[in-house]
Amino acid sequence: MTFAFYLGAGNIIFPPLAGFMAGEHLLAAMCGFLLTAVGLPLITLIAVAKGSSGGGAGGWTGMTRYLPGWAATALAIAIYIIMGPAFATPRTGLVAYEMGLKPWLGEAGQHGLLLYSLIFFALVILVSLNRGRLLDAVGKYLTPALMVMLLVLAVGVFMAPQGTMPDASGDYVETPLIKGMLEGYNTMDTLASLMFGALIIGLLRRKGIEDYPSQFKYLTIAGLISAAGLSAVYISLFYLGNSAAGVASDTSNGGAIVNAYVLSLFGLPGQFILATIITLACFTSAVGLLCASADFFHSLAGWTYRKWVLLMGCLCVLVANVGLSELIRLSIPVLVAIYPVAIALVLVTFAQGSFGRPRLVFRTVLLVAFLFGCLDGLGAAGMQMDAFAFLPLFDKGLAWLLPTLLTCGLGILLRPSGKLAAEAA
């Protein structure tokens, strides 16, 4: 189930493009990508379980209990907006369009994209409003079908590569490992783990698993299984992109590369099956994300759930019409800015037992990660940031890393005294 939560169309479009652009630096780029697209989501999932170790509040509430209420709420809102109408949910419709319709009808232009997005998200809204069992019924067969298709594709990639290795391009020429790490942000799975972890803990409790050690154990096992599955998918898709030179004429996004490769490898029948499965996967992902976002904002703002579904569904239509490549370009600076905060939250959650003054350390570490992450985000947006070029790793988009680790280390050395020591005890 955990693997099914993560496995969506977004996980399929980024590795092929990274593999294509990495060229001869495939291994380094792939390792970097796996670190942030598999390792971080797994660690975050475990951190959510660890957040419930204090008893009572668990999941997100447990992880953010040392933060001001407004800060925890603001961070949650940012994550749900990113995963909802801003990026992740509109992306499902765009990937369905790119991989499900365009291979058969060709470039339909802006009017075609508008019509498709209206129909796609109208259906998503209808299913989200009714919350029927259709999603569950489709999910029981969809995920296994997608897994089988990806397995067959992986075998084909390794047994009968269709093209040749392209030359490395862009940042993959000089810093393939770091570029791969930053590309792993695009899956958004670390942010998704913050949503999924609390959900899975709730499901475990419904099955009578109430004690923290058992919850931690089962969530860790589930996370490891999903990490292994995602790693296998990513590695095969990296090799697909890395052997696509001469096969894919359109390399603007990973969806176009996969389509061209499947057409070359399996012909029209294989392309039709892939298009159908990807479209259904995008649809179910969109319903899940829209329901989760509407639920969150309903509990936060008091509007009815149905009104939030309608509002966010309409916003998804508007955002989707910027196009897939443009949406990915727009999302990169936001993800570069917000990911350091999520990673810092996971870091202090694991290290909280070592802090003498956890409330102060939590707030300081996350503030440092946020400020330096914003600098990286502005740099990723193309703004002139030469004044900050002296910062370590700033040119790599990782200016937040060393200050955040240093602040966390100082927090471990900071011990309480006097009244604070009594309160800590």
Side-chain angles (χ1 to χ4, degrees), residues 242-262:
N242 200 243
S243 58
V247 175
S249 56
D250 179 7
T251 58
S252 59
N253 60 73
I257 295 175
V258 174
N259 270 323
Y261 209 98
V262 169

Side-chain angles (χ1 to χ4, degrees), residues 60 63-64 67 75 194 341-349 362 366:
W60 177 259
M63 292 180 73
T64 58
L67 299 179
L75 182 57
L194 295 171
V341 181
I343 296 170
L345 181 60
V346 172
L347 176 64
V348 292
T349 298
F362 263 64
L366 264 66

Side-chain angles (χ1 to χ4, degrees), residues 282-340:
C282 289
F283 183 80
T284 54
S285 295
V287 171
L289 290 169
L290 188 61
C291 288
S293 300
D295 267 332
F296 171 77
F297 286 105
H298 164 61
S299 64
L300 184 69
W303 254 23
T304 64
Y305 168 81
R306 296 176 67 86
K307 287 182 179 179
W308 278 112
V309 167
L310 289 170
L311 173 62
M312 301 183 81
C314 292
L315 289 175
C316 288
V317 174
L318 292 175
V319 174
N321 276 271
V322 305
L324 182 58
S325 299
E326 181 67 12
L327 182 63
I328 292 171
R329 187 188 69 80
L330 292 172
S331 70
I332 289 175
V334 178
L335 295 176
V336 169
I338 195 68
Y339 250 71

Side-chain angles (χ1 to χ4, degrees), residues 88-98 113 116-117 120-121 282 286 320:
T89 309
R91 191 176 70 187
T92 60
L94 285 169
V95 173
Y97 174 73
E98 290 281 342
L113 174 58
Y116 184 89
S117 59
F120 181 89
F121 284 107
C282 289

Side-chain angles (χ1 to χ4, degrees), residues 166-417:
D167 294 327
S169 58
D171 291 337
Y172 287 101
V173 176
E174 299 293 336
T175 56
L177 177 67
I178 293 176
K179 180 61 176 175
M181 290 171 58
L182 295 177
E183 285 298 307
Y185 288 177
N186 286 326
T187 64
M188 304 188 195
D189 282 344
T190 297
L191 302 181
S193 289
L194 295 171
M195 300 166 59
F196 295 156
L199 173 62
I200 297 169
I201 288 176
L203 293 173
L204 289 173
R205 286 173 175 165
R206 286 173 57 187
K207 291 182 175 293
I209 302 171
E210 298 285 349
D211 61 297
Y212 163 71
S214 295
Q215 290 179 359
F216 189 89
K217 169 188 172 184
Y218 287 122
L219 196 55
T220 300
I221 293 173
L224 289 171
I225 292 172
S226 63
L230 286 173
S231 296
V233 170
Y234 290 150
I235 290 171
S236 62
L237 290 176
F238 254 90
Y239 276 99
L240 181 152
N242 200 243
S243 58
V247 175
S249 56
D250 179 7
T251 58
S252 59
N253 60 73
I257 295 175
V258 174
N259 270 323
Y261 209 98
V262 169
L263 178 62
S264 176
L265 190 58
F266 299 113
L268 288 176
Q271 194 177 38
F272 176 76
I273 294 171
L274 180 66
T276 301
I277 293 175
I278 289 294
T279 301
L280 290 174
C282 289
F283 183 80
T284 54
S285 295
V287 171
L289 290 169
L290 188 61
C291 288
S293 300
D295 267 332
F296 171 77
F297 286 105
H298 164 61
S299 64
L300 184 69
W303 254 23
T304 64
Y305 168 81
R306 296 176 67 86
K307 287 182 179 179
W308 278 112
V309 167
L310 289 170
L311 173 62
M312 301 183 81
C314 292
L315 289 175
C316 288
V317 174
L318 292 175
V319 174
N321 276 271
V322 305
L324 182 58
S325 299
E326 181 67 12
L327 182 63
I328 292 171
R329 187 188 69 80
L330 292 172
S331 70
I332 289 175
V334 178
L335 295 176
V336 169
I338 195 68
Y339 250 71
V341 181
I343 296 170
L345 181 60
V346 172
L347 176 64
V348 292
T349 298
F350 277 108
Q352 60 184 302
S354 304
F355 299 144
R357 300 172 64 177
R359 188 178 303 275
L360 175 62
V361 176
F362 263 64
R363 298 180 181 194
T364 306
V365 171
L366 264 66
L367 178 61
V368 169
F370 173 71
L371 293 176
F372 282 90
C374 286
L375 293 179
D376 286 328
L378 292 173
M383 294 186 64
Q384 190 62 251
M385 304 293 288
D386 291 345
F388 300 96
F390 68 93
L391 294 172
L393 299 178
F394 179 78
D395 59 326
K396 306 295 190 298
L398 294 172
W400 64 273
L401 183 59
L402 293 181
T404 302
L405 291 176
L406 178 61
T407 306
C408 188
L410 292 174
I412 294 175
L413 298 176
L414 182 65
R415 310 311 303 175
S417 59

Side-chain angles (χ1 to χ4, degrees), residues 70-127:
W70 65 266
T73 301
L75 182 57
I77 290 173
I79 291 173
Y80 275 95
I81 288 177
I82 290 170
M83 299 304 295
F87 298 117
T89 309
R91 191 176 70 187
T92 60
L94 285 169
V95 173
Y97 174 73
E98 290 281 342
M99 300 187 69
L101 186 66
K102 280 182 66 174
W104 307 100
L105 299 183
E107 182 59 60
Q110 191 63 39
H111 294 295
L113 174 58
L114 175 60
L115 179 61
Y116 184 89
S117 59
L118 282 169
I119 295 172
F120 181 89
F121 284 107
L123 294 173
V124 169
I125 289 171
L126 284 175
V127 175

